[in-house]
Amino acid sequence: MRLRHKPMPSLQCSLFALALAAGAVHAATVIDNANGYTLNAKGDVVQFASLAFDDGGRILAVGSAADVATKAPQAQHVDMGGRTVLPGLIDAHGHVFGLGEMLTQLDLSATTSLQQALGAIGDYARANRDRAWVRGRGWNQENWKLGRFPTAQELDGAVADRPVWLERVDGHAGWANGRALVLAGITDKTPDPAGGKIVRDAAGHATGVLVDAAQDLMHKVLPQPSEGEGRVMLDRALEKMASVGLTSAHDAGIGAAQDRLYRDYADHGKLTARIYAMIGGTGADFDQLAKNGPLNAYGHDMYALRAVKLYADGALGSRGAALLAPYTDDPHSHGLLFHSNGEIDAMIAKAMKKGYQVNVHAIGDAGNRQILDTFAKEIPANRGQALRHRIEHAQVVTLADIPRFASIGIIPSMQPTHATSDKNMAEQRVGPERIKGAYAWRTFLAQGSRIACGSDFPVEAPNPFFGIHAAVTRQDAGGNPIAGWYPEQEMSLKEAFRCFTLDAAYAGHQEKTLGSLEAGKYADFIVIDQDMFRISPYDIHKIGVLETWVGGRRVWQKK
C-alpha cells in the first residue's frame, strides 16, 4: 500500500473567523507557528499555522498567522515551534472505568504463554497480600497457542489461598480459581444461564472459565468498588487518555454510580476528556437515569448521556459471537445470542421511545442480522431515524447485510485494531467465505457509511494512533503481515483521520462542536512529535503526544 502526499490547501480565514457585529475579536490565546492539520466542512484535510480561541475555549479563527492576528488582537501567544497540531482525537467506543480498573489491577495482555501468565499472577498475588481478591484482565489463550481455555486447577497452582478472577482480553470470558468457584456456588451441576456458558471438560466438570452471561454468577460475589476506588479508576483512565491524545471518548455502558462521578468531575472541572456516555441496558439504571430524558450536554459540554448500550452476542475469541452457521473450528457451536427477538425488540423500543440513541454490540453475523432486523422495525415505529443508532463492532456481517446499514441508516462503530489483533484466529473461526464480510471497512465506506472509529479499550490499547495505523496498513505493530491482512479493506489516511475525528463526533451528535478545528467549535487539539501526513504510514503507531488541550486548556504535557 502506498500513500501519496499531496499539498494541503490553506484554510480560508473567512470560513473560520467568528463574525461579530463589533468587528475585531478579543481572544484569550493564539497558537502560533503550528504545522497544523484539520478537516473542513467538506471533510477535506487542510493546513493552518495559527489558531485563536477565547476564554471559554471556543475557536475564533483558524488560518495563517496574519489572518488570525487581525481577528485576535491583544491575545497571549503560544509558539508551537513548528510542531504538528491535530484536532483532538475521539474514541467512539471505550470503557473508561474498565481502563482505569486495568491500570490498577494485574494486566496479562503482554503474556505470551500460560506459564508466563501463571508466573505473573503468582508474583502479583505475593506483592498484594492485602487484597482479598486477586483481580486482573487481558489474558488471551490464542496468544498462548494453548488450543484451549486455561483451567481453575492451573490457576490454583499460582494462587490457592484467595479467590482469583481474571477477565479475558475481550471481557467476554473470565477465568476463576477453585476458591472463587466455591464462593460463586459454581459446581459441575450448575446449569448454563441464558446467554452464557460454563466451560466444561469431556467429563462434564466445570473447568473454571465462564463465558458471557455466565460471568454474572461471579459478578454477584465480587466486591464492588467503593466511590473512592471509582475515583482512582477514573483519574488513572483520564490521565492515560490524555497522554495518548484522546480529548473525547464514548463510554460504552455505564450505571448510576459512574454517572454520579462524571457529573461531579464535570462540576469541579476535573474531566480532562469529554465523555459521551451510554447507559448500560434498559433495566433499573436506565429507569433511574432516564427519568428526565437524554442529557444532551452538561458541564460546558464535557459530559453527555444520550445513548443506551445493549448486547446482541459475545466475542469471536471466546466463540461467544452468534453465527448463522457453526464455527468453522468448532462445528458444534453457533455461539450465543443474548436475547430472543422479542426481548431485544422490547429493549430497543423502550430506549427509542425515551429518545435515546441505541448502540448495540454485535460481533457475529447472526447477532448483526438480529439487530438490523430489529432496527428495521423499530426505527419507523418509534420515529427514531434522527437518533443515529449504531451497531458497535459490526465485526462479522454477511455480504448481503452490509448494505442494510446504509438503507436503514445505521452507523457502523468499528475498531481498526480488532482486525490486526484478531487476524491470528478470525479466519479459523469463520472460514474463507464469511471472512469477506468481516472487518470490512472499505466495503462500508464504499456504500457511503460513516464509520465511527474507536479501540474498545481496555480490550485494545487506547492509543488512537494504533488504530489509525491499523486502518491504513492492516498490519500489527510488528509489521505483519507484510502485505497487510486483507489489504483491499484498508482505509486511506484521510478516511482514518476522519473516522477518529469528524465521523466519531457525528456518531455522538457532536459534529457541530467537536471533530475539527473550525470557528465556533471547541479548541480541543493535540501536539504530536511527528507529522502524520508526511511520515511513512507504517510508522504512524510510533507517533507520540507532546501536549493535549481540551476547551483551550492544556490538560496534559509530556514531561
Side-chain angles (χ1 to χ4, degrees):
M1 181 204 68
R2 295 179 181 176
L3 291 177
R4 296 179 180 177
H5 300 296
K6 298 181 180 179
M8 303 297 177
S10 297
L11 286 180
Q12 298 298 315
C13 191
S14 60
L15 293 175
F16 297 92
L18 187 64
L20 296 180
V25 178
H26 177 80
T29 306
V30 171
I31 299 299
D32 278 326
N33 195 18
N35 175 41
Y37 296 90
T38 186
L39 293 154
N40 63 17
K42 296 179 180 179
D44 296 323
V45 179
V46 291
Q47 288 188 275
F48 65 90
S50 292
L51 177 152
F53 50 87
D54 64 20
D55 291 323
R58 293 274 190 171
I59 297 173
L60 300 168
V62 184
S64 69
D67 287 342
V68 171
T70 64
K71 305 298 179 182
Q74 305 174 25
Q76 66 172 346
H77 288 249
V78 178
D79 189 344
M80 285 290 108
R83 295 177 299 176
T84 298
V85 175
L86 300 178
L89 300 175
I90 303 170
D91 192 308
H93 185 112
H95 303 274
V96 177
F97 286 87
L99 175 63
E101 185 177 52
M102 173 176 268
L103 293 169
T104 60
Q105 295 181 354
L106 173 62
D107 181 1
L108 294 169
S109 60
T111 58
T112 57
S113 70
L114 174 61
Q115 289 307 311
Q116 184 186 17
L118 292 171
I121 295 162
D123 290 343
Y124 180 85
R126 285 185 289 275
N128 293 274
R129 296 184 185 278
D130 58 324
R131 300 199 175 192
W133 283 68
V134 174
R135 298 283 304 278
R137 182 170 179 152
W139 62 271
N140 186 348
Q141 81 282 1
E142 297 295 329
N143 291 344
W144 298 344
K145 304 294 189 293
L146 200 59
R148 59 172 175 82
F149 282 122
T151 68
Q153 185 177 11
E154 289 164 331
L155 192 49
D156 284 340
V159 184
D161 63 330
R162 280 173 286 167
V164 181
W165 176 245
L166 306 166
E167 291 186 41
R168 192 179 183 277
V169 62
D170 54 20
H172 286 268
W175 178 23
N177 71 348
R179 179 149 310 190
L181 291 175
V182 170
L183 288 173
I186 297 170
T187 70
D188 297 343
K189 297 181 180 180
T190 303
D192 290 345
K197 179 180 180 181
I198 299 171
V199 177
R200 306 172 198 271
D201 61 21
H205 302 304
T207 64
V209 171
L210 311 178
V211 178
D212 289 319
Q215 295 181 95
D216 293 342
L217 300 171
M218 191 62 64
H219 294 161
K220 291 177 182 177
V221 298
L222 285 172
Q224 295 302 304
S226 66
E227 181 179 318
E229 290 169 329
R231 289 179 181 274
V232 171
M233 291 176 193
L234 184 51
D235 289 342
R236 295 289 298 275
L238 289 170
E239 181 181 15
K240 181 65 175 180
M241 290 157 59
S243 74
V244 296
L246 290 176
T247 58
S248 178
H250 299 187
D251 196 339
I254 71 162
Q258 291 78 31
D259 173 72
R260 285 193 297 273
L261 280 181
Y262 278 141
R263 292 179 194 241
D264 179 74
Y265 271 51
D267 288 340
H268 294 90
K270 295 178 64 178
L271 277 182
T272 53
R274 301 184 194 276
I275 301 297
Y276 179 86
M278 314 173 199
I279 302 170
T282 55
D285 277 341
F286 176 82
D287 291 338
Q288 176 183 339
L289 296 172
K291 285 180 180 178
N292 298 316
L295 181 69
N296 293 341
Y298 183 84
H300 303 289
D301 291 323
M302 291 303 298
Y303 180 54
L305 185 65
R306 62 182 303 180
V308 168
K309 167 73 179 302
L310 302 174
Y311 285 86
D313 61 355
L316 203 61
S318 52
R319 295 189 185 85
L323 300 180
L324 295 167
Y327 276 81
T328 300
D329 59 356
D330 185 359
H332 301 293
S333 175
H334 285 74
L336 301 162
L337 278 175
F338 284 8
H339 308 285
S340 68
N341 292 340
E343 290 169 340
I344 198 70
D345 284 359
M347 288 188 283
I348 288 178
K350 180 179 180 179
M352 280 190 198
K353 283 182 170 69
K354 278 283 193 176
Y356 286 86
Q357 178 192 58
V358 181
N359 305 332
V360 189
H361 163 117
I363 298 284
D365 52 13
N368 276 278
R369 179 167 292 178
Q370 181 191 51
I371 302 309
L372 287 168
D373 288 347
T374 300
F375 276 142
K377 290 184 295 183
E378 297 299 340
I379 288 175
N382 294 284
R383 300 179 182 178
Q385 188 65 48
L387 295 174
R388 303 181 186 177
H389 305 294
R390 298 158 41 170
I391 289 183
E392 305 299 313
H393 312 307
Q395 203 161 305
V396 181
V397 188
T398 66
L399 293 175
D401 279 339
I402 290 177
R404 299 179 68 198
F405 281 75
S407 62
I408 300 171
I410 304 304
I411 296 172
S413 172
M414 306 175 82
Q415 299 74 44
T417 49
H418 277 349
T420 52
S421 293
D422 291 355
K423 60 182 169 49
N424 64 334
M425 60 82 184
E427 191 163 350
Q428 297 172 22
R429 296 286 192 269
V430 301
E433 285 304 311
R434 285 183 291 193
I435 202 69
K436 295 175 182 177
Y439 317 91
W441 314 324
R442 172 58 46 204
T443 306
F444 277 103
L445 290 169
Q447 70 182 18
S449 292
R450 294 180 188 240
I451 297 177
C453 279
S455 65
D456 200 12
F457 65 72
V459 174
E460 303 281 353
N463 191 326
F465 293 103
F466 293 178
I468 294 173
H469 169 264
V472 300
T473 67
R474 301 281 290 200
Q475 291 180 341
D476 60 26
N480 297 308
I482 293 175
W485 188 63
Y486 289 92
E488 65 275 10
Q489 292 292 345
E490 69 192 18
M491 297 185 195
S492 70
L493 180 54
K494 182 175 82 170
E495 289 166 340
F497 182 43
R498 178 171 176 139
C499 83
F500 276 98
T501 53
L502 266 181
D503 288 345
Y506 177 86
H509 297 269
Q510 296 172 321
E511 75 279 6
K512 292 183 179 179
T513 56
L514 308 178
S516 61
L517 299 173
E518 301 177 80
K521 292 190 174 185
Y522 282 107
D524 295 359
F525 61 91
I526 59 175
V527 185
I528 58 177
D529 63 3
Q530 300 180 68
D531 186 333
M532 185 175 73
F533 290 92
R534 296 193 181 278
I535 65 173
S536 165
Y538 303 104
D539 290 331
I540 289 174
H541 67 285
K542 299 176 183 177
I543 290 173
V545 175
L546 302 174
E547 299 179 15
T548 300
W549 295 63
V550 176
R553 179 170 65 100
R554 186 166 57 198
V555 299
W556 187 86
Q557 184 174 20
K558 184 177 180 180
K559 296 179 181 179

